[in-house]
Amino acid sequence: MRASRPAVHPVEAPPPAPTVAAQAQAQEQGQGQGEGVAHPRGVRMKDPPGAPGTPAGLGLRLAQAFFAAAALAVMASTNDFPSVSAFSYLVAAAILQCLWSLSLAFIDIYALLVKRSLRNARAVCIFTIGDGVTGTLTLGAACASAGITVLIGNDLNICAENHCASFETATAMAFISWFALAPSCILNFWSMASR
Amino acid sequence: MRASRPAVHPVEAPPPAPTVAAQAQAQEQGQGQGEGVAHPRGVRMKDPPGAPGTPAGLGLRLAQAFFAAAALAVMASTNDFPSVSAFSYLVAAAILQCLWSLSLAFIDIYALLVKRSLRNARAVCIFTIGDGVTGTLTLGAACASAGITVLIGNDLNICAENHCASFETATAMAFISWFALAPSCILNFWSMASR
């Protein structure tokens, strides 16, 4: 049926392999001459470093899980954290962050072992939403703990009767875990939006 | 020169107005049939509601600025907020959020008056980074204040000698301001990534 219709617009021969940089350049210059018509959209882009299914992405996931586990361990090592809601919330958020990052690390390891790309539309969408939710929770828990820690240490000066060092360490670990999560989330969202 | 070359792929008549939803659907179904070949990529997408330069985007900006100003006013109406670092930080973050949202609201009003689109690559990049930074600061301040408020109200039960209602209201306003900021930031990032 398609061959029987006349060509409305003559199309030039598609270029051999349009790279991401070349595409972006072409789009900026407004050249909508139909490059890439012959390629299905899902396979022509390479995974950027840090995306799921790459060694850098696996490293980011392991760093997130490690620092979340460190925050959890340091906070749980103090015996009076359940008396402050924000510290209990930090423990809960660190557990969630650790589980999420470890699950995605296992998926990354599997993808690396079988050499499969994880640029599936639905998978990237789930990763992005999960990253956004856990990232917001971890950042919120870290900020709440930081508020309490600064209140105890600087505003009230009652560090002598509290485990200030442990609270500060756990808060710092949670912040570092969030800083490791942010690139994953941004990269996932970017690859979800740019497909 | 283009008319002298043979058509490599017969192209169907381009659809009248490809919307964002229709494009996403077509891409998911893997139809690389070259729709939109005749349109340069920068102009074929219409601004989604909520993007900068649209009435919904202006409404979001005004909501952000209003709730940030409300958080600032309620928190500043208590006389003892400077004694807690987290509450001072909330005031600072609310001022920054209010200034940023008002600036972008003025830009939106200008764009609406002169009927110009704000889909400029550099402008969208600046909007996204600014939204991300102010959003992170506002969320952090709101979470820190929430941690302190819960500590005062639920853990220590010393609301009688503190302005718990004001603290809670200011925290809630900061959270609402962040919730109004999140769609702007996501839409800006999306339009930055998808161009």
Side-chain angles (χ1 to χ4, degrees):
Chain A
M1 291 300 289
R2 292 179 62 195
S4 66
R5 294 200 191 179
V8 178
H9 299 278
V11 181
E12 296 186 17
T19 61
V20 180
Q23 278 182 18
Q25 206 180 1
Q27 288 171 13
E28 268 194 356
Q29 294 170 358
Q31 297 174 348
Q33 297 180 1
E35 73 274 24
V37 169
H39 308 270
R41 279 187 70 104
V43 294
R44 68 179 170 181
M45 282 178 75
K46 289 182 74 173
D47 283 332
T54 61
L58 175 61
L60 278 177
R61 293 291 172 197
L62 290 180
Q64 294 157 24
F66 172 77
F67 285 110
L72 171 64
V74 172
M75 188 56 88
S77 71
T78 65
N79 55 354
D80 52 354
F81 81 88
S83 63
V84 178
S85 301
F87 292 157
S88 312
Y89 173 44
L90 180 74
V91 167
I95 291 174
L96 178 71
Q97 176 71 63
C98 198
L99 290 178
W100 171 257
S101 294
L102 276 184
S103 321
L104 289 204
F106 283 125
I107 295 177
D108 280 353
I109 291 172
Y110 170 75
L112 284 173
L113 285 180
V114 303
K115 294 195 172 54
R116 262 195 70 176
S117 172
L118 286 175
R119 286 184 61 82
N120 176 294
R122 196 168 297 168
V124 170
C125 184
I126 292 172
F127 294 166
T128 308
I129 293 172
D131 277 348
V133 170
T134 56
T136 308
L137 291 180
T138 304
L139 178 66
C143 288
S145 297
I148 306 277
T149 307
V150 171
L151 179 80
I152 294 173
N154 292 32
D155 300 337
L156 301 179
N157 280 316
I158 48 172
C159 261
E161 48 200 286
N162 286 284
H163 305 89
C164 272
S166 297
F167 297 155
E168 282 164 11
T169 310
T171 305
M173 293 292 153
F175 270 115
I176 295 175
S177 180
W178 180 77
F179 276 117
L181 182 64
S184 297
C185 184
I186 292 175
L187 272 170
N188 276 329
F189 191 74
W190 185 281
S191 68
M192 188 173 82
S194 63
R195 66 176 48 239
Chain B
M1 291 300 290
R2 291 179 65 192
S4 67
R5 295 199 190 180
V8 178
H9 299 279
V11 181
E12 297 186 16
T19 60
V20 180
Q23 276 182 20
Q25 206 181 1
Q27 288 171 12
E28 264 191 3
Q29 294 170 359
Q31 297 174 348
Q33 298 180 0
E35 73 271 26
V37 170
H39 309 272
R41 281 188 69 102
V43 296
R44 71 176 172 184
M45 284 179 74
K46 290 180 74 173
D47 282 334
T54 60
L58 176 61
L60 276 177
R61 294 292 172 195
L62 291 180
Q64 293 157 24
F66 172 78
F67 285 110
L72 172 64
V74 172
M75 187 56 88
S77 70
T78 65
N79 55 354
D80 53 354
F81 81 87
S83 62
V84 179
S85 301
F87 293 158
S88 312
Y89 173 44
L90 180 75
V91 168
I95 291 174
L96 178 70
Q97 175 73 63
C98 197
L99 289 178
W100 171 256
S101 295
L102 276 185
S103 321
L104 289 204
F106 282 125
I107 294 178
D108 280 353
I109 292 172
Y110 170 76
L112 284 173
L113 284 181
V114 303
K115 293 196 173 54
R116 264 195 70 175
S117 172
L118 286 175
R119 285 183 62 82
N120 175 293
R122 195 169 297 169
V124 170
C125 183
I126 292 172
F127 294 167
T128 309
I129 293 173
D131 277 348
V133 171
T134 56
T136 308
L137 291 180
T138 305
L139 177 66
C143 287
S145 297
I148 305 277
T149 308
V150 171
L151 179 81
I152 294 173
N154 293 32
D155 301 335
L156 302 179
N157 279 317
I158 48 173
C159 261
E161 47 198 287
N162 287 284
H163 307 87
C164 272
S166 298
F167 296 155
E168 282 163 11
T169 310
T171 305
M173 293 293 155
F175 270 114
I176 296 175
S177 179
W178 180 76
F179 277 117
L181 182 64
S184 298
C185 185
I186 291 175
L187 273 170
N188 276 329
F189 192 73
W190 185 281
S191 69
M192 189 172 80
S194 63
R195 67 176 47 241

